[in-house]
Amino acid sequence: MCLGIPGQIIEIIDADNLLAKVDVAGVKRPVNIACIVSDDHTAQDCIGDWVLVHVGFAMSIIDEEEAIKTLALLEELGEVQEEINAMQTSAGAN
Amino acid sequence: MKYVDEFRDPAKAKALIANINGLKDSLNANEKKPIQLMEFCGGHTHTIFRYGIEPMLPNWLELVHGPGCPVCVLPMGRVDDCVALAERPDVIFTTFGDAMRVPGSKKSLLQAKADGADIRMTYSPMDSLELARKNPDKQVIFFGLGFETTMPSTALTVLQAEREGVTNFSLFCNHITTVPTIKAILDSPEMQIDAFLAPGHVCMVVGERPFDFVASTYNKPIVVTGFEPLDILQSIWMALKQLADKRCTVENQYSRIVPPDGNAAGLAAIDAVFEIREFFEWRGLGSIDHSGVKMKDAFRQFDAEMKFKLPNLKIADPKSCQCGEVLKGVIRPWECKVFGTTCTPETPMGALMVSSEGACAAYYNFGNLPELLAKRSKSIEGDAA
Ligand code: SF4
């Protein structure tokens, strides 16, 4: 819950409600992007962004190299599988 | 456990460890009275144990694993409240998986689920809101917990529920705040911590400024720290360097994620939905003033505490539990009298044994158990003599 996991925004689902689709290690799910949009960075601009995802919310934009390094490390810590399990088994998500 | 050679960048790790060792003389440090450095955040504790960072450090330096695991510090009375909510026939109770095993005074959520309560694990509060949309005849409650890192997510979910007019969704708010808690640790008379590693992802939301007081009022160095093993080694070195130079300030090792002012949208959402509680009860630490938030009155229809009747009882921690002393660095986890005997990850007595981010569970899972238990009986004999 506190470490978060990097993912890439691949599409905007609902620009009014700031919902996007994120790809986290191949698993796709909706994320809220309210914390990363601003006047200079609209919802549309978020497509392609690498972000740190905490409990379904994109909390910070990160650079791609950083994201890939972090994913590799979380993989080693066993954290990636845990997050993905939580996403896939989450009640209400499917 | 890892060895330095297996680090992604072993040369850098070795250099950092050499730098740390090199500070011994200027710190006037010795193993009899080691320098104590507290990592507040359970995420840091996790990395420290997974990567075996402690054994790499000199014996004049001790890491104290702080209370920054929101699951661990949840008091029993609050778990009882969750169980009571979950056992209502009209309720679907949703929670992060980590909270399922935390013992209440009678049962954990996992046991309540086995007994028939409708408890579902969700990855995100958004998923809980979706459950509410799909089950209009049920009351869906989300068990909100965590520090400032997860507060924007629950706040934004409540705001979304309000926008859509979803009336069968509510939040059982158990969010806690880091600053008053670090302050309580600094104010406690047994306090011996020399410097702090600040929680990186909390700072991602609130920025570095809220931690200024650690340096300005308490004269302790504090370093905002990332979660990779090299981040932690580097931050340890930065904190010790401040001590050696007789400086104290907030330094930001994790600037790639943490902007000095935090996340404006996240803070605005927190501010819209939550207000400070007068006090909040912590497992192991007791009541700490202003250390939690509750929902503002304008959101009472989304506030499970207002919507439903809660037992709201205060349940004392078991007597033999020494979590509080461990959290303040007064004793090491394995020095607790019940560590590894009555208190184990399968049958946790204290909070710190519950989640993999708790200090006791970390020692239990990653430490050398027979050695630790032998060390403890020695120290108990020593006390008796
Ligand atoms: S061993 Fe158990 S009771 Fe003792 S400090 Fe650790 S968690 Fe608390």
Side-chain angles (χ1 to χ4, degrees), chain B residues 320-323 326 333 336-340 343 349-353 360:
Chain B
S320 46
C321 152
Q322 292 181 278
C323 297
V326 171
C336 171
K337 286 184 213 66
V338 291
F339 175 87
C343 186
M349 284 185 66
L352 301 173
M353 203 48 111
C360 294

Side-chain angles (χ1 to χ4, degrees), chain B residues 114-142:
Chain B
D115 292 346
D118 192 348
I119 299 175
R120 306 193 197 175
M121 283 190 262
T122 45
Y123 162 73
S124 167
M126 272 169 46
D127 298 347
S128 181
L129 181 58
E130 180 60 18
L131 265 184
R133 292 187 196 107
K134 284 183 183 155
N135 295 276
D137 52 330
K138 289 276 187 182
Q139 289 292 333
V140 176
I141 303 176
F142 182 73

Side-chain angles (χ1 to χ4, degrees), chain A residues 1-3 17 19 29-30 32 34-35 52-57 59-60 62 66 70 72-73 76-79 83 86-87 89-94, chain B residues 2 8 46 50-51 96 120-127 130-131 134 149-150 152-153 156-157 160 163 201 204-205 227-229 256-257 263 265-266:
Chain A
M1 153 175 51
C2 305
L3 284 183
N17 286 310
L19 269 189
R29 71 152 282 141
N32 180 301
C35 291
L52 199 57
V53 181
H54 284 259
V55 302
F57 289 72
M59 294 301 300
S60 171
I62 46 183
E66 177 64 28
T70 305
L73 184 95
E76 246 178 273
L77 288 171
E79 244 15 86
E83 286 278 313
M87 283 179 195
T89 56
S90 176
N94 305 303
Chain B
K2 298 260 166 190
R8 198 162 309 284
H46 191 69
R50 280 300 262 146
Y51 275 81
F96 294 135
R120 306 193 197 175
M121 283 190 262
T122 45
Y123 162 73
S124 167
M126 272 169 46
D127 298 347
E130 180 60 18
L131 265 184
K134 284 183 183 155
T149 315
T150 51
S153 65
L156 287 163
T157 305
Q160 177 74 29
R163 259 199 310 275
H201 287 155
M204 164 183 80
V205 174
F227 293 86
E228 308 204 3
R256 62 185 193 271
I257 297 283
N263 184 300

